[in-house]
Each structure stands twice: as structure tokens, then as C-alpha cells.
């Protein structure tokens, strides 16, 4: 017999029901747009740390080579020898400043101008030339390969990290749009509290239908519907603009077909 005052142990069916409810709650929260965005933020932080570590280590490796190139055989601890240590940090600091700025602009998908990329390529190109000049002059293939790898890795990482941040931001936007689109059919069958919660959730970010409505309102006869035009009039992401352009073009084609009939 059960002890007096002690509640009866739950049955197997009750335990299974509790497990099912917990699993449903976990699945619902795992698909929540804010949870998805948080997971992507963690990945973005890991990508940033790894890329920055590789870039800093690569620039540190090139510093000694650039100093040796700039010193041009000067006596150690002489003024030209000491001044030669300033050349590589000058170039590297400019490069790091550009990459740090692109870290913020890529997060909000704000594309920088042409001169930003020119300055970045110029800094990377100068680093590469100063690292490999002596090896090219001496005709040392092994030296060229050895001193080419770090600058090229830095160059590739500097370009890749910007695109990765941009794509991670698009991943958050697409995940949010998909999650909300899946939730919309359930809103009409949910309780008033659930509908209010969904309206609050969707009020923080625009949905695909909202972007499409903005593009539809901005379109006029003779306007070419392209992803670039859609981004300009709606402010959507680069990844979402082709879908919006295709949807609007399909609507316009359907409308023209119906008028012809």
C-alpha cells in the first residue's frame, strides 16, 4: 500500500503523456525564429574567432619577412633597422581596420563602396610583394611557396569572412521567414492569446508577403523587375531578393494574361 499522504506514482500512460508534452515543447522552441537566430549567432561568433585568429597569426608571420625586406641589410638596432619594423604594422593596421568595419556592415548587409575593397586589396598586395620579393629575386621556388602561403591565406580569409557573415545574416532572415510562414496557417485555429503572440512576433521583422507588397506598390509600368531593383525598393536581403523578384514577375505575368483574355 502507498504511504499515507504520498501521491500515487504516475502510470506509464501519464509518463508517456508528460514526455510527449515535453518533446512537443522542445520541438516548438527549437523551431522558434529567435532560437534559430541565437544558434546562428553562436556559429557567427565561432567563425569570427577562428578567422581572426588565422588572420592575426598570418600577419604576425609576415611581419618578420617585411622587416627584413625593409631593413635591406641595415645593422641590427640601427635607426633604419628599427624603422623597418613599422612598415608591416602600418599595412596590417589598415587592413584590420577595414576588416573590422566590414564585420559590422556585413552583419546588417550594408555593402561598402569600391574604395574599401581597393584599399583592402592594396594592403594585401603590398604584404604579398614584400614577403616574396627576395625569393623571386633569388629564384628560390621553395621560398616563394613558403612566403606566399600566409599572405594568400590572409587574403582569402579577408574575402571569405565578409561573405560568410553576409550569408549567416541571410540564414537568420530566411529561417525566420520560413518559421513564421509555417506558423501562419495555425494562427487562424489558435486561441486569441496565441494569435496575439504571433502578431507580436511578426511585428519585429517583415515577412515575405510584406516585402512582396512593398515591391508591388513600388512597381510601375515599364519597370524591370530584377533582384537589384527589389532590394532597392524594399530593403530586403540579397538572398531574399531573387524569390521576391520571381514572385512579383509571376504576378505581373498572370495579370497581363488575364487582361489579354
Amino acid at each position: 500500500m502507498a504511504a499515507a499522504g504520498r501521491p500515487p506514482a504516475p502510470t506509464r500512460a501519464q509518463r508517456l503523456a508528460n514526455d510527449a508534452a515535453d518533446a512537443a515543447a522542445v520541438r516548438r522552441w527549437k523551431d522558434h525564429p529567435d532560437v534559430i537566430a541565437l544558434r546562428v549567432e553562436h556559429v557567427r561568433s565561432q567563425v569570427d574567432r577562428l578567422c581572426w585568429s588565422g588572420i592575426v597569426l598570418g600577419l604576425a608571420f609576415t611581419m618578420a619577412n617585411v622587416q627584413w625586406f625593409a631593413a635591406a641589410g641595415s645593422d641590427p638596432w640601427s635607426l633604419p633597422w628599427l624603422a623597418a619594423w613599422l612598415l608591416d604594422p602600418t599595412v596590417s593596421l589598415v587592413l584590420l581596420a577595414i576588416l573590422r568595419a566590414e564585420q559590422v556592415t556585413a552583419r546588417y548587409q550594408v555593402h561598402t563602396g569600391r574604395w574599401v575593397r581597393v584599399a583592402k586589396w592594396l594592403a594585401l598586395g603590398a604584404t604579398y610583394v614584400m614577403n616574396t620579393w627576395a625569393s623571386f629575386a633569388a629564384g628560390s621556388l621553395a621560398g616563394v611557396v613558403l612566403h606566399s602561403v600566409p599572405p594568400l591565406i590572409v587574403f582569402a580569409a579577408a574575402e571569405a569572412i565578409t561573405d560568410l557573415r553576409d550569408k549567416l545574416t541571410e540564414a537568420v532572415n530566411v529561417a525566420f521567414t520560413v518559421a513564421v510562414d509555417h506558423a501562419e496557417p495555425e494562427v487562424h485555429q489558435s486561441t486569441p492569446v496565441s494569435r496575439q503572440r504571433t502578431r507580436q512576433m511578426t511585428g519585429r521583422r517583415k515577412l515575405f508577403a510584406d516585402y512582396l507588397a512593398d515591391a508591388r506598390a513600388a512597381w510601375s509600368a515599364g519597370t524591370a523587375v530584377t533582384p537589384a531593383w527589389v532590394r532597392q525598393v524594399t530593403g530586403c536581403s540579397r538572398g531574399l531578393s531573387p524569390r521576391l523578384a520571381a514572385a512579383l514577375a509571376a504576378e505581373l505575368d498572370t495579370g497581363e494574361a488575364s487582361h489579354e483574355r
Side-chain angles (χ1 to χ4, degrees):
M1 295 179 60
R6 179 181 299 177
T11 64
R12 183 181 180 186
Q14 291 173 336
R15 291 196 301 269
L16 289 175
N18 292 334
D19 292 341
D22 291 341
V26 170
R27 185 172 61 253
R28 183 171 61 253
W29 281 108
K30 284 180 65 176
D31 295 335
H32 193 281
D34 290 335
V35 176
I36 295 174
L38 182 61
R39 289 203 300 263
V40 176
E41 286 292 337
H42 290 164
V43 174
R44 191 205 305 270
S45 300
Q46 294 173 359
V47 170
D48 281 342
R49 286 195 295 268
L50 293 174
C51 284
W52 276 109
S53 298
I55 289 172
V56 171
L57 290 175
L59 292 176
F61 178 86
T62 64
M63 183 180 298
N65 298 324
V66 173
Q67 191 277 340
W68 183 86
F69 171 83
S74 301
D75 294 332
W77 303 107
S78 63
L79 185 59
W81 186 88
L82 293 174
W85 283 105
L86 301 178
L87 180 57
D88 186 78
T90 300
V91 178
S92 298
L93 287 175
V94 173
L95 176 61
L96 292 175
I98 294 172
L99 296 179
R100 183 68 181 94
E102 286 185 339
Q103 185 179 19
V104 178
T105 57
R107 179 183 180 87
Y108 298 101
Q109 295 186 311
V110 177
H111 297 281
T112 54
R114 180 181 60 185
W115 280 107
V116 174
R117 177 154 292 190
V118 169
K120 181 168 64 175
W121 285 1
L122 182 61
L124 292 168
T127 301
Y128 178 80
V129 170
M130 290 185 294
N131 269 270
T132 58
W133 183 270
S135 298
F136 276 114
S140 173
L141 182 60
V144 171
V145 173
L146 175 64
H147 296 105
S148 295
V149 170
L152 291 179
I153 291 296
V154 170
F155 179 84
E159 288 295 323
I161 192 172
T162 302
D163 291 339
L164 286 173
R165 294 192 194 103
D166 186 69
K167 295 304 180 183
L168 287 172
T169 301
E170 287 185 9
V172 175
N173 295 335
V174 172
F176 181 87
T177 303
V178 171
V180 173
D181 288 344
H182 288 171
E184 281 182 344
E186 301 175 0
V187 174
H188 302 290
Q189 302 175 358
S190 59
T191 63
V193 175
S194 300
R195 290 195 294 269
Q196 177 66 22
R197 184 178 303 144
T198 303
R199 283 195 296 268
Q200 292 174 353
M201 181 179 67
T202 57
R204 293 200 298 269
R205 294 183 178 91
K206 294 173 66 175
L207 303 179
F208 181 87
D210 299 327
Y211 284 115
L212 184 59
D214 292 343
R216 190 185 302 115
W219 182 83
S220 59
T223 301
V225 180
T226 63
W229 175 82
V230 171
R231 289 196 301 273
Q232 180 182 359
V233 299
T234 65
C236 69
S237 66
R238 184 177 295 272
L240 192 60
S241 58
R243 293 175 52 201
L244 288 168
L248 181 58
E251 285 188 5
L252 296 175
D253 292 342
T254 304
E256 291 178 359
S258 61
H259 284 305
E260 291 176 356
R261 294 195 191 98

